[in-house]
């Protein structure tokens, strides 16, 4: 059984031989210098990162959008993916897509194309039957074909609850206002002096509201931050230099338990409850 | 209803806004209150709690009831000359928050920089 047959021995050697060869070539591949060359040395990149947000809009805003290279701007707000809510005026089924004319009362109708194979097995879910003269929500990407604005939709769904229309009107106003104001603010929001007029009612009041000096300073700095996600502990520490890290944490705990501030994206970001 | 889209803005309004839009085409959302026997007009309760008369030039092809969105021109008596409408048969009128919609359309007028119409 242990007699060394030529075939068995040969098989073993063959196996190791190939394995060794493989490892060798693998090692060669890892050692090759070309694969990990620095990407910044390759062609100068002109592709700008497109806005990743889904912007609620009126159709008129989309029609007014200006194009700078491959970026659309609605007023001062960058727009790429948008969502609209409107009435379907017409539905035209074509081979590769369905074309809708949507009217949201803000002006002319807008063409919306929804690409999809109507013969595919999940066509019922992916491309629901949309009745004419019904309200729908469209989510898609703005397109400009020789001056004609349109949307290439990735989702079109019927509106079941008309309160969604109310919601959309408010979201349009809010998102455009928020992005316009945010773009106008200087980059260094950490500047303690940049307090928004509305948010800093307590800046002057010293110890009249039952807060210690340290708590007051921390609270003022939190109030002054206009960002939606609030101010982070690190920025807070930079702004309120006179307060020690430990005292800062204590102040934040106290303010939070009293209901003056609340945590937002994580335990290190806070906003004032006084809007 | 006749799908005859008016190209141009049809601002969303309530009863209080009608005087401002005389002669213009608007979009009025409300709940049908009464229907004239001849089918030539009907009354709607708007989102600010007032009643508005909608005058129809041709007999309505379908019975309007419940929540309805009327597109029409405001005449000098602050009535609406009907052009077209949409109904919402799936929507229970009481589920639709009229007060919220009313506030939303007022904000849309106040912040017309951000809620842009033609």
């Amino acid at each position: 059984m242990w007699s060394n047959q030529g075939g068995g021995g040969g098989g073993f050697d063959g196996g190791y031989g190939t394995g060794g060869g493989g490892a060798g070539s693998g090692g060669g591949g890892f050692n090759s210098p070309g694969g990990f060359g620095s990407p910044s040395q390759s062609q100068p990149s002109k592709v700008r990162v497109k806005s990743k947000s889904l912007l609620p809009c009126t159709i008129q805003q989309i029609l007014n959008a200006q194009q700078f290279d491959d970026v659309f701007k609605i007023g001062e707000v960058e727009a790429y993916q948008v969502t609209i809510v409107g009435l379907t005026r017409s539905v035209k089924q074509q081979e590769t897509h369905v074309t809708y004319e949507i009217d949201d009362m803000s002006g002319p109708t807008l063409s919306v194309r929804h690409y999809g194979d109507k013969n595919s097995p999940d066509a019922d879910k992916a491309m629901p039957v949309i009745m004419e003269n019904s309200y729908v929500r469209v989510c898609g990407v703005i397109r400009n074909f020789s001056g004609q604005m349109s949307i290439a939709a990735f989702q079109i769904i019927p509106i079941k609850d008309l309160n969604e229309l109310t919601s959309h009107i408010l979201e349009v106003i809010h998102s455009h206002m928020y992005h316009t104001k945010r773009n106008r603010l200087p980059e260094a929001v950490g500047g303690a002096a940049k307090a928004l007029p509305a948010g800093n009612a307590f800046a002057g009041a010293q110890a009249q509201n039952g807060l210690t000096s340290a708590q007051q300073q921390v609270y003022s700095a939190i109030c002054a931050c206009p960002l939606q996600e609030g101010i982070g502990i690190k920025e807070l520490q930079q702004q309120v230099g006179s307060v020690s890290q430990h005292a800062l944490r204590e102040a934040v705990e106290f303010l939070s338990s009293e209901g003056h501030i609340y945590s937002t994206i994580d335990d290190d970001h806070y906003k004032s409850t006084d809007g | 209803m006749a799908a005859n889209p008016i190209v141009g803005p049809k601002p969303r309004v309530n009863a209080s806004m009608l005087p401002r839009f005389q002669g213009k085409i608007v979009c009025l959302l409300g709940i049908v209150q009464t229907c004239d026997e001849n089918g030539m007009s009907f009354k709607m309760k708007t989102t600010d709690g007032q009643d508005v008369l909608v005058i129809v030039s041709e007999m309505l092809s379908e019975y309007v009831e419940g929540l309805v969105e009327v597109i029409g021109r405001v005449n000098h008596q602050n009535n609406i000359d009907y052009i077209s409408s949409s109904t919402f048969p799936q929507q229970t009128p009481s589920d639709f928050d009229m007060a919220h919609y009313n506030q939303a359309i007022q904000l849309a007028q106040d912040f017309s920089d951000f809620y842009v119409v033609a």
Side-chain angles (χ1 to χ4, degrees):
Chain A
M1 280 161 286
W2 288 277
S3 60
N4 224 345
Q5 300 279 333
F12 264 86
D13 287 341
Y16 272 125
T18 336
S25 58
F30 277 122
N31 290 336
S32 108
F36 296 95
S38 163
S40 62
Q41 289 164 3
S42 53
Q43 84 284 16
S45 169
K46 259 189 91 178
V47 177
R48 241 176 89 176
V49 175
K50 293 207 167 93
S51 162
K52 293 204 175 93
S53 49
L54 183 64
L55 188 68
C57 294
T58 64
I59 288 176
Q60 190 58 44
Q61 280 171 324
I62 295 171
L63 296 172
N64 290 349
Q66 294 175 300
Q67 199 169 4
F68 301 98
D69 287 334
D70 55 351
V71 171
F72 288 103
K73 265 198 165 175
I74 294 174
E76 297 171 43
V77 185
E78 245 184 63
Y80 178 55
Q81 291 175 103
V82 294
T83 176
I84 60 173
V85 168
L87 209 55
T88 51
R89 290 291 187 191
S90 75
V91 179
K92 285 196 184 71
Q93 183 93 37
Q94 269 135 320
E95 268 313 306
T96 53
H97 61 272
V98 186
T99 303
Y100 303 88
E101 290 292 322
I102 307 287
D103 183 359
D104 72 349
M105 315 299 167
S106 69
T109 59
L110 186 69
S111 275
V112 172
R113 286 192 178 199
H114 194 193
Y115 291 89
D117 182 9
K118 60 180 191 274
N119 298 319
S120 83
D122 56 311
D124 293 333
K125 273 196 221 133
M127 307 190 67
V129 175
I130 305 282
M131 305 297 292
E132 285 194 0
N133 214 28
S134 68
Y135 266 92
V136 292
R137 176 178 283 284
V138 175
C139 299
V141 162
I142 303 180
R143 290 256 177 274
N144 185 349
F145 291 126
S146 41
Q148 283 277 61
M149 299 299 280
S150 66
I151 292 181
F154 46 78
Q155 189 192 57
I156 301 189
I157 35 177
I159 298 272
K160 295 204 182 66
D161 184 348
L162 204 58
N163 289 307
E164 200 174 332
L165 172 64
T166 306
S167 216
H168 179 73
I169 297 171
L170 297 169
E171 284 167 15
V172 170
I173 300 170
H174 176 263
S175 57
H176 286 261
M177 190 186 288
Y178 174 79
H179 285 290
T180 305
K181 290 199 170 167
R182 187 170 179 166
N183 289 343
R184 287 186 191 156
L185 278 178
E187 277 306 328
V189 184
K194 295 258 179 241
L196 283 186
N200 223 353
F202 291 142
Q206 284 288 340
Q208 280 175 14
N209 47 5
L211 299 181
T212 67
S213 154
Q215 289 163 350
Q216 183 60 67
Q217 284 182 63
V218 170
Y219 182 62
S220 299
I222 294 175
C223 281
C225 176
L227 296 173
Q228 196 168 56
E229 64 267 21
I231 189 168
I233 292 284
K234 291 200 191 73
E235 287 82 28
L236 208 48
Q237 188 67 73
Q238 284 170 8
Q239 280 190 42
V240 195
S242 53
V243 177
S244 74
Q245 212 172 35
H246 177 70
L248 179 74
R249 278 276 175 197
E250 270 190 351
V252 164
E253 293 285 330
F254 173 78
L255 291 167
S256 177
S257 63
E258 291 292 303
H260 295 303
I261 62 175
Y262 60 97
S263 59
T264 57
I265 55 175
D266 60 24
D267 288 334
D268 287 339
H269 284 80
Y270 290 89
K271 261 185 95 68
S272 157
T273 46
D274 263 310
Chain B
M1 291 293 151
N4 194 4
I6 308 287
V7 175
K10 302 162 276 284
R12 295 183 178 277
V13 296
N14 56 23
S16 327
M17 296 175 189
L18 292 178
R20 258 185 277 156
F21 289 91
Q22 277 190 0
K24 300 222 170 68
I25 298 181
V26 297
C27 174
L28 188 66
L29 185 67
I31 298 181
V32 179
Q33 299 295 294
T34 57
C35 225
D36 175 28
E37 316 85 60
N38 306 329
M40 298 306 281
S41 70
F42 59 91
K43 257 210 165 73
M44 294 173 46
K45 187 179 270 308
T46 56
T47 53
D48 55 347
Q50 297 181 50
D51 283 347
V52 173
L53 185 68
V54 178
I55 302 162
V56 191
S57 52
E58 308 170 343
M59 269 278 285
L60 296 168
S61 52
E62 63 176 42
Y63 188 64
V64 275
E65 60 174 349
L67 210 51
V68 68
E69 188 181 70
V70 171
I71 294 174
R73 199 181 288 277
V74 186
N75 68 16
H76 292 293
Q77 287 87 39
N78 295 325
N79 300 327
I80 303 282
D81 287 324
Y82 176 99
I83 294 173
S84 68
S85 66
S86 313
T87 55
F88 306 97
Q90 310 162 313
Q91 182 88 34
T92 319
S94 53
D95 285 346
F96 177 65
D97 195 326
M98 300 273 270
H100 263 136
Y101 176 85
N102 199 50
Q103 256 196 314
I105 61 177
Q106 272 172 338
L107 287 169
Q109 304 255 326
D110 295 341
F111 293 100
S112 51
D113 283 347
F114 302 114
Y115 191 86
V116 179
V117 296

